[in-house]
Amino acid sequence: MRNMRYPLGIALAGVLLLGASQVLLPGLAAGRMRAELERYGTVESVSVGAFPAIELLWGDAESVRVRAGSLRMSAAQVGDLLWKARGVGRIDMDVRGLRVGSVWLSDVRVSKRGAALRGWARMSVADVRATLPAGARAQLDLPRAAGRTTAAAGPGEPLGVELSGGLFGPPPGVRAVVGFRDGTVAVEPVGGAGAGGVRVGLFAARHVRAEGMTVRALPPGGYALGLTGSLR
């Protein structure tokens, strides 16, 4: 009988350890993620789900849920943050306001499913103008369909834009396209940057490959943006 106590004791200790890790580790992981995000602004809540929670010791988790107020990051920091969370199967992030470089986005939602990434955000007309040099103007070519103004872009499917005010230098008004190249997003004059124009990068991050974009005009003004991509 005495010999049976040792296996039973070891099994009981294992169960208690597993239960304690299931309670403590998700909270500790959420605290680390929150501290990482708070370097960039205000964070309202972070929750982590994992079973067994011991997976968190190796950087793996089933899900992460984040709610934030206002964050300010570079495109490179966005990519690095997502790369650090590559072991998380599912990420859902809601941010009321996000500044990436000179671009201000509101009502931002980011999702990660495995390596696949999707993002949604809004930009007001004033926010669009604020991203351009002083005096520059931009008008997207958004075809009207079913009462809505929408357009999509991706590799081989550039989005047309009318630029004025000398964004690319003289002449003051040029036709340009928003397009994808090697996983980055940029705007360049029709005919390419090699045709005497300048290619202006919009988004480039080492660990993120941008793959597609949708733009929808919102009444009375502004745009709803969607971006798809993947970790690389």
Side-chain angles (χ1 to χ4, degrees):
M1 188 71 176
R2 181 178 296 175
N3 293 335
M4 292 291 294
R5 293 176 182 174
Y6 295 106
L8 288 175
I10 293 172
L12 180 59
V15 170
L16 291 175
L17 180 60
L18 180 62
S21 67
Q22 199 64 45
V23 172
L24 297 175
L25 289 181
L28 292 173
R32 289 198 302 269
M33 291 183 181
R34 181 170 189 141
E36 177 79 15
L37 284 168
E38 284 179 337
R39 296 166 51 196
Y40 307 109
T42 58
V43 180
E44 297 172 359
S45 65
V46 178
S47 61
V48 176
F51 187 86
I54 200 73
E55 293 178 344
L56 294 171
L57 297 178
W58 288 271
D60 295 331
E62 292 178 1
S63 63
V64 171
R65 187 82 172 88
V66 177
R67 291 184 180 276
S70 177
L71 301 178
R72 186 187 186 106
M73 310 172 71
S74 67
Q77 289 169 332
V78 171
D80 289 343
L81 193 65
L82 290 169
W83 183 250
K84 288 179 181 179
R86 62 189 180 279
V88 181
R90 176 189 180 112
I91 296 177
D92 291 288
M93 185 172 182
D94 292 327
V95 186
R96 287 202 299 271
L98 173 63
R99 182 172 293 280
V100 182
S102 63
V103 178
W104 174 258
L105 305 169
S106 60
D107 299 328
V108 179
R109 289 181 294 146
V110 177
S111 73
K112 174 184 175 295
R113 302 293 184 268
L117 304 172
R118 294 184 67 88
W120 301 266
R122 293 173 180 262
M123 286 188 76
S124 69
V125 173
D127 292 334
V128 173
R129 289 175 178 168
T131 66
L132 301 172
R137 296 289 183 268
Q139 178 64 50
L140 292 173
D141 290 339
L142 300 178
R144 293 195 173 276
R148 295 190 307 171
T149 303
T150 60
E157 299 179 75
L159 174 63
V161 58
E162 181 76 36
L163 297 164
S164 62
L167 179 62
F168 293 103
V174 297
R175 294 287 302 161
V177 292
V178 177
F180 292 72
R181 182 186 299 174
D182 299 325
T184 67
V185 188
V187 58
E188 62 183 38
V190 172
V198 178
R199 189 170 188 264
V200 178
L202 299 180
F203 181 85
R206 180 175 52 170
H207 298 300
V208 176
R209 179 179 182 83
E211 297 170 349
M213 179 174 63
T214 59
V215 182
R216 177 167 58 91
L218 298 175
Y223 303 94
L225 309 176
L227 187 67
T228 59
S230 60
L231 288 177
R232 57 177 179 179

